[in-house]
Amino acid sequence: MRRDRFLLAATLTAIFSADLYFILLPKLRSVGQGTGQLCSCGPSNLTLPRLRGLATPQLSNWTSALPLDDTTTEPTDGGLKLGRLFAHPLYNIQTPELGPEERLLQVEQLMEYYRKKVSRWERHNKLYSEVAAISNISVIEHEVTFDPDASWMKFHLGISRYALYSRDDPAIPQLLRDMQSMPVVSADYTQDEKALKGACDCTQVVKPSGHHLKLALKMHDFAKAMFKPMRQNRDEETPEDFFYFVDLQRHNAEIAAFHLDRILDFRRVPPVTGRLMNITGEILQVTHNEDLRAVFFTSPANNTCFFAKCLYVCKTEYAVCGSPDLLEGSLSAYLPGLSIAPRLSIPNPWIRSYTFNGQEEWEVNPFYCDTVKQTYPYNSGNRLLNIIDMSIFDFLTGNMDRHHYEIFTRFGDEGFILHLDNARGFGKHSQDETSILAPLSQCCMIKSSTLVRLQLLARPEFRLSDVMRESMEGDPLRPILTEPHLLALDRRLQKVLRAVQRCVRRLGKDEVIIRDFVKSTVKPQTSTELIKAR
């Protein structure tokens, strides 16, 4: 009996020793060394094997890239993560020369268009000055000079089949600086605001424009930018009882969306910057629109205020006010005019129900994507993959209001999707609306280039919240986002990666991860080429 006990004790001791040596001891060593080996997203997970111009991400353990809390060890290089991110090979891919057919506009075409615009402006301005003098209306006259080498002209000429601007386009940072300081020579309602005149229907649940003020501002060199004033403080969250279609539009969300789009390397959001505007001197005194002049008033607190023109919001309680004249807002660079660069507005296949209790098919049918895949233009090319890119972008910002998207008609079905109107993002940092990811979770497809960049931004040395914070630090209205919103980006990024992982487990990575061209091609991919790439 004693011998049996001795053998049992010896066996248990041997098992415990083996566990200690082969399992527990290596873990204790890695923790003691602080090397971060418990994080399974090492450098090898981001290698890009060359496959005839294609890139395929390595997928081993790639979803456990970053803990959801804020305990990740920081690098000791001063935190300049943004510079290292843009120095990464993914952001320094050599692209071939673009041919005329791959550019949105040609130089001669754009110059002729703006020569006519300048002549029209000069005639209109002269006529208005004469009428204003007769009517004793005070209008500030600014010197206006058309500069063919202006940054906004270079921005327009840089738009290609693949993106609104190239990764290293020096015109973009210059355009941001110009919009921050250029004198405003004219202010007016935007064209869609003008279209509402006499068309306001108070019986509609969703109004055509709501009380979301936006103005078109013209600068001294004929640059044009859309101004959205501040309507909500940064530390305010959207009230829980608000539907997404009655939510406020946030100027800082427009700014943050531009930086996020650039960091994700989509480059589908026009340049946006913040600016502190004097709404008396830079809007009221330079506008030629009498309707706009008529909505300015002085509040009981002696602040200058103005409101939208639509009847159901033509009230002082919907106004925005300066302090007393200064008001911060976002300035978004205008795209080329529709007459020279026409765009097509297309309903989002995953459009939401804009009623109080309705539901769309995708909300009740888990196989909805199978129908979409058989429908033009999502049955070939990369349109569906671009929709999935957009859903990831919207999920990270929390924007539920993507009812339409736009494309340039010149590039046809293979053109990229514009990520316009992002002001309803970043409303709730404490809630993640996973239904925004329906295109990804239902279709179970994602571009390999998109996935690799998401993996990269989940690593501690390139953490998304950190590079976003650094990127927005140069904006005049910094801080653009509060810390809870920045940390929410990291949390949501993990959820995107987990959604991809679930798809890979169910279907296999060859079905989920779609290999795409990392560098631009001379001609767009055909549907046959896309199928072969899969």
Side-chain angles (χ1 to χ4, degrees), residues 260 263 396 457 462-468 489-490 493:
L260 178 62
I263 286 170
L396 292 174
L457 291 166
F462 301 111
R463 184 161 45 186
L464 179 57
S465 60
D466 292 339
V467 293
M468 275 289 287
L489 288 171
D490 296 330
L493 175 56

Side-chain angles (χ1 to χ4, degrees), residues 409-434:
T409 58
R410 172 174 172 80
F411 301 135
D413 292 340
E414 293 302 319
F416 63 91
I417 290 175
L418 290 162
H419 296 171
L420 304 178
D421 197 6
N422 303 292
R424 278 181 167 156
F426 297 103
K428 295 180 180 179
H429 57 73
S430 57
Q431 179 181 339
D432 302 334
E433 185 56 54
T434 54

Side-chain angles (χ1 to χ4, degrees), residues 16-31:
F16 176 77
S17 300
D19 286 345
L20 178 64
Y21 185 81
F22 292 106
I23 299 176
L24 297 177
L25 188 58
K27 290 186 177 181
L28 290 173
R29 283 175 178 169
S30 64
V31 172

Side-chain angles (χ1 to χ4, degrees), residues 215-261:
L215 300 175
L217 305 183
K218 188 171 291 184
M219 309 302 179
H220 79 100
D221 64 352
F222 284 92
K224 198 174 180 182
M226 180 182 294
F227 174 69
K228 290 188 178 181
M230 181 179 75
R231 298 200 67 99
Q232 188 176 44
N233 292 325
R234 289 159 178 72
D235 56 356
E236 292 182 75
E237 279 202 278
T238 299
E240 292 182 354
D241 292 328
F242 270 35
F243 286 92
Y244 48 87
F245 48 77
V246 296
D247 190 11
L248 294 175
Q249 293 205 11
R250 287 165 285 275
H251 70 300
N252 61 314
E254 288 281 10
I255 302 168
F258 162 68
H259 288 268
L260 178 62
D261 174 83

Side-chain angles (χ1 to χ4, degrees), residues 313-383:
V313 291
C314 191
K315 302 176 183 178
T316 57
E317 57 262 40
Y318 291 115
V320 292
C321 300
S323 179
D325 296 286
L326 297 180
L327 177 66
E328 65 177 62
S330 64
L331 285 181
S332 305
Y334 260 72
L335 294 172
L338 294 177
S339 60
I340 192 174
R343 303 193 302 271
L344 187 64
S345 180
I346 303 172
N348 186 352
W350 279 266
I351 190 173
R352 295 179 178 275
S353 171
Y354 281 74
T355 63
F356 290 129
N357 51 16
Q359 284 187 308
E360 295 291 327
E361 183 182 352
W362 66 267
E363 297 179 273
V364 295
N365 179 8
F367 304 104
Y368 173 75
C369 187
D370 293 338
T371 303
V372 175
K373 288 179 179 178
Q374 299 173 13
T375 306
Y376 173 83
Y378 309 105
N379 55 354
S380 65
N382 61 3
R383 181 71 62 84

Side-chain angles (χ1 to χ4, degrees), residues 120-369:
R120 191 182 309 122
W121 161 264
E122 290 175 343
R123 291 195 303 269
H124 176 272
N125 199 49
K126 181 180 179 180
L127 179 62
Y128 185 84
S129 298
E130 293 173 354
V131 174
I134 296 173
S135 305
N136 292 322
I137 297 176
S138 176
V139 178
I140 296 178
E141 297 289 345
H142 287 283
E143 181 181 356
V144 182
T145 304
F146 175 66
D147 181 6
D149 293 323
S151 57
W152 62 272
M153 289 283 286
K154 293 178 179 178
F155 163 54
H156 287 180
L157 290 172
I159 300 174
S160 72
R161 179 186 298 277
Y162 310 105
L164 285 174
Y165 54 90
S166 62
R167 294 179 180 90
D168 55 353
D169 187 352
I172 302 306
Q174 183 59 52
L175 177 57
L176 295 176
R177 290 191 292 269
D178 289 342
M179 288 195 295
Q180 293 165 10
S181 59
M182 283 192 296
V184 179
V185 301
S186 175
D188 200 353
Y189 286 115
T190 59
Q191 288 300 319
D192 54 340
E193 291 281 341
K194 289 181 178 181
L196 293 175
K197 189 173 184 179
C200 303
D201 183 1
C202 294
T203 64
Q204 295 181 14
V205 173
V206 184
K207 309 300 190 295
S209 180
H211 54 275
H212 309 306
L213 271 172
K214 51 185 183 290
L215 300 175
L217 305 183
K218 188 171 291 184
M219 309 302 179
H220 79 100
D221 64 352
F222 284 92
K224 198 174 180 182
M226 180 182 294
F227 174 69
K228 290 188 178 181
M230 181 179 75
R231 298 200 67 99
Q232 188 176 44
N233 292 325
R234 289 159 178 72
D235 56 356
E236 292 182 75
E237 279 202 278
T238 299
E240 292 182 354
D241 292 328
F242 270 35
F243 286 92
Y244 48 87
F245 48 77
V246 296
D247 190 11
L248 294 175
Q249 293 205 11
R250 287 165 285 275
H251 70 300
N252 61 314
E254 288 281 10
I255 302 168
F258 162 68
H259 288 268
L260 178 62
D261 174 83
R262 175 171 167 256
I263 286 170
L264 293 174
D265 201 39
F266 291 152
R267 292 169 282 129
R268 301 165 195 169
V269 175
V272 185
T273 185
R275 178 162 169 171
L276 192 64
M277 300 287 297
N278 184 314
I279 58 176
T280 299
E282 295 182 296
I283 296 178
L284 175 60
Q285 293 180 355
V286 299
T287 183
H288 294 179
N289 188 315
E290 294 305 316
D291 288 335
L292 178 55
R293 296 177 68 90
V295 298
F296 276 79
F297 66 95
T298 302
S299 73
N302 250 359
N303 294 322
T304 302
C305 310
F306 67 106
F307 50 87
K309 62 185 296 185
C310 202
L311 295 178
Y312 50 75
V313 291
C314 191
K315 302 176 183 178
T316 57
E317 57 262 40
Y318 291 115
V320 292
C321 300
S323 179
D325 296 286
L326 297 180
L327 177 66
E328 65 177 62
S330 64
L331 285 181
S332 305
Y334 260 72
L335 294 172
L338 294 177
S339 60
I340 192 174
R343 303 193 302 271
L344 187 64
S345 180
I346 303 172
N348 186 352
W350 279 266
I351 190 173
R352 295 179 178 275
S353 171
Y354 281 74
T355 63
F356 290 129
N357 51 16
Q359 284 187 308
E360 295 291 327
E361 183 182 352
W362 66 267
E363 297 179 273
V364 295
N365 179 8
F367 304 104
Y368 173 75
C369 187

